[in-house]
Amino acid sequence: MSNLFDLLVAGLATGAIYALVAVGFTLLWQTSQTINFAQGEFVMLPAFLMLAAMHVGAPFWLAIILGILLSMILLGLAFKLLLVDPMMRHGVLPLAIATMALAIGIKEAVKQFFSAEASPFPSIVPTGDVSILGHAVSLQSIGVLVVAILAVFGLTALLNRTSLGHQMQAAAQNPTVARIIGVPVERMILLTFLINAFLVALASLLITPIYLAKFSSGEVLGQAAFIAAIVGGFNQVRGAIAGGLLIGVLDNLAAAYVSTQYRAAVPMIFLIAVILFRPQGLLGRAEERTV
Amino acid sequence: MKSTILAGALLAFATATSVHAQAIKLADVAELSGGGATVGTNWKNGIDLAIEEINAKGGVLGRKLEVTHADSQSNPGVARAQVQKALDAEPYVLLGPGYSGSVKVTAPLAAEAGIAQIMGGEAAELTQAGNKFLFRTSFGQQSSMPKVAKYIHDEMKAKSVAVVWVNNDFGRGGRDVVVKELDRLGSKVVADLSTEAGQADFAADVGKIKAANPDAVFVYLNEEESARILKELKRQGVTAPLMGETTLIGQKVIELAGDAANGARGHVGLTTDAPVDLIKAFREKFSKKYNYVPDHNGLKGYLAVYMVKATTEKMGKVDPKKFADTLHGLTIKAADEPGILMDVTFSDTGDIDRQSFLVEVVEGKQVVKQVLPKVK
């Protein structure tokens, strides 16, 4: 039983990070129909930006700020202006393929400029344990969960409680009408790209101390977050959150109770089941798009 | 006209052969780029250092050593092509590669050419295929794992052991030998966990170890995964002592795992931290020449060249056909040939027997705790 508790906590902590990344997937999809297959690499890169800042002598806190800012410029602004905007005109599929190419480009560039070997990354949460219900739970797991939950709550509050959030939702749901009533749709779309960049940088900061900074570490994350977004519902932020947590827990339970070799298959099987029986995702709503 | 060309060609041939007759040609194929670049570069530098030393003292039987280096790009396919090319030049002995996978595909080529191959691979199967020309520079798993199992049983007094291994040739090879040996000694394997190469999340695996509550944990993963599982073991508060091989307590693992590596123990066949005077002297010479501290692959390359020297001097002549026969069963003593660093005996399969070391990570540093004697 204690084993189950440990697995749940570890699964939730990993799942919270999947959720952050998955939320980015749904945001980009809703506002600009972008399926970003480089999302995993977007999580890998900020850690290296922070490491680079530390190499030139910045203290860790400054490196975090610089890393997040640089991520927002590179993975938010530049990504939208240089890749999404020019490719968007050609449709969803060419854009998706372009993001796959971008993923390879980012990976190879990191390998070139840093190295193919993993690097250690400092943790923002101190190591140690606290006792919860008689179980020792690591501070790192709790820290990851708390930061991720705060980020998600912050985002939900922004979307639902502020005028800016309402404008973003309007831009996402019906750009034409939004434009007519005076919503600066283009700016709102750019804002979602910046938010996505912020979320992946945050995920990077939380996950890299555990997974280590390595050029290939985005592959697993990107795939898990993509599955999480589909399982939860690609068009709902809350769906992505639920999907992320669910995949995190499912992955850990599968590794413990099914088999380590087939752990990667279990979320996939779950994904197939969801697509077959509830194609809009667990919390998503069915939608039709004009083509 | 025709006869002039023929005479010229003959003359050129004669000159070329006479020049080459003086130097003993070695060919090295190593991982000079790609994922194994650290392995191959250390190996190559070790070779160059040894050759420089030997030539400065007059060479082998009065003849200088000469080596050509080729890059396998850490790729077995490229390694095979490079070895074929190297063999076409008819070297005295082939050195390398360092990766077991590359050795596996190149060993048949060298055997067919009848050229001895001295390599860095450690997978158990390499010397079990009946190849009469293949020689190790370090322990194969079948030599190191019994020592590991014996240590877990005798010194750690572990009655129950969790075994975590990486699901590839390297991991499976080591796991099979260690489980068999533990079983023979009477330590029960209570958890037998396979993990994937490149795996990032070890929460579930460590959860299983915790549930099995073993007296000791044997960890046999690659360096990065070792660092990740060490962190996770610490995170989940597993206190059972940890035992592994070079891959658990290597410098890279300590760098990646930080505090979590403290207390981990490992069996190490070769280490530049060994409390052996000749190895200390080697480390000093190497660091002076290349401006960095070598890892065990630097030692392996260095030893490979001295194996060539000792064997050739034993034969009393340079005879590539007799080389492998002479090296089988040969014991080289460090007192007679200081370049071999420690007494070593080669078996009929090309495996080695040599003393080895038990290393523990103490405050982020490798500390040699015990010298484990030769088996025979």
Side-chain angles (χ1 to χ4, degrees), chain B residues 11-152:
Chain B
L11 187 67
F13 181 71
T15 327
T17 44
S18 72
V19 166
H20 282 278
Q22 281 157 20
I24 300 173
K25 285 192 299 172
L26 306 177
D28 168 40
V29 176
E31 293 73 13
L32 300 178
S33 67
T38 326
V39 175
T41 309
N42 269 293
W43 167 265
K44 170 186 177 286
N45 289 343
I47 290 173
D48 287 341
L49 177 64
I51 289 183
E52 193 184 288
E53 275 177 22
I54 293 170
N55 286 346
K57 286 182 189 156
V60 178
L61 303 176
R63 290 166 64 178
K64 300 257 178 203
L65 291 178
E66 207 179 82
V67 67
T68 52
H69 297 288
D71 182 10
S72 76
Q73 300 170 16
S74 309
N75 175 333
V78 179
R80 197 177 152 89
Q82 292 285 20
V83 163
Q84 187 59 63
K85 199 171 143 197
L87 290 172
D88 289 346
E90 296 182 1
Y92 178 46
V93 173
L94 174 68
L95 309 175
Y99 268 20
S100 294
S102 294
V103 173
K104 198 171 156 182
V105 297
T106 56
L109 296 178
E112 203 171 294
I115 301 285
Q117 179 177 13
I118 303 177
M119 50 80 183
E122 296 186 2
E125 58 173 325
L126 295 176
T127 49
Q128 290 168 345
N131 187 324
K132 288 280 162 217
F133 294 89
L134 195 60
F135 295 90
R136 292 186 193 274
T137 48
S138 56
F139 287 116
Q141 290 162 334
Q142 68 276 46
S143 320
S144 59
M145 287 304 152
K147 285 191 174 190
V148 169
K150 191 164 158 26
Y151 185 84
I152 292 176

Side-chain angles (χ1 to χ4, degrees), chain B residues 254-272:
Chain B
I254 298 175
E255 182 199 328
L256 293 173
D259 284 356
N262 288 339
R265 279 177 261 189
H267 168 256
V268 175
L270 281 171
T271 165
T272 53

Side-chain angles (χ1 to χ4, degrees), chain A residues 3 6-7 10 14 116-121 127 129 138 140-141 209-212 214 251-252 255-256 260-261 263, chain B residues 38 167 194-196 199-201 203-205 207-208 210-211 224 227-228 231-232 234-237 252 255-256:
Chain A
N3 194 20
D6 290 338
L7 286 171
T14 323
E117 290 187 52
S119 310
F121 191 84
T127 49
D129 292 328
S138 82
Q140 221 172 9
S141 297
I210 303 169
Y211 282 13
L212 304 174
K214 192 176 182 189
D251 181 44
N252 266 282
T260 324
Q261 280 100 325
R263 70 185 293 176
Chain B
T38 326
N167 191 8
S194 91
T195 64
E196 294 306 308
Q199 185 172 323
D201 194 336
D205 308 280
K208 277 189 187 171
K210 228 175 146 180
E224 279 166 24
R228 293 193 187 109
K231 286 178 153 207
E232 190 61 40
K234 187 178 159 81
R235 208 156 78 110
Q236 294 199 25
K252 185 75 190 168
E255 182 199 328
L256 293 173

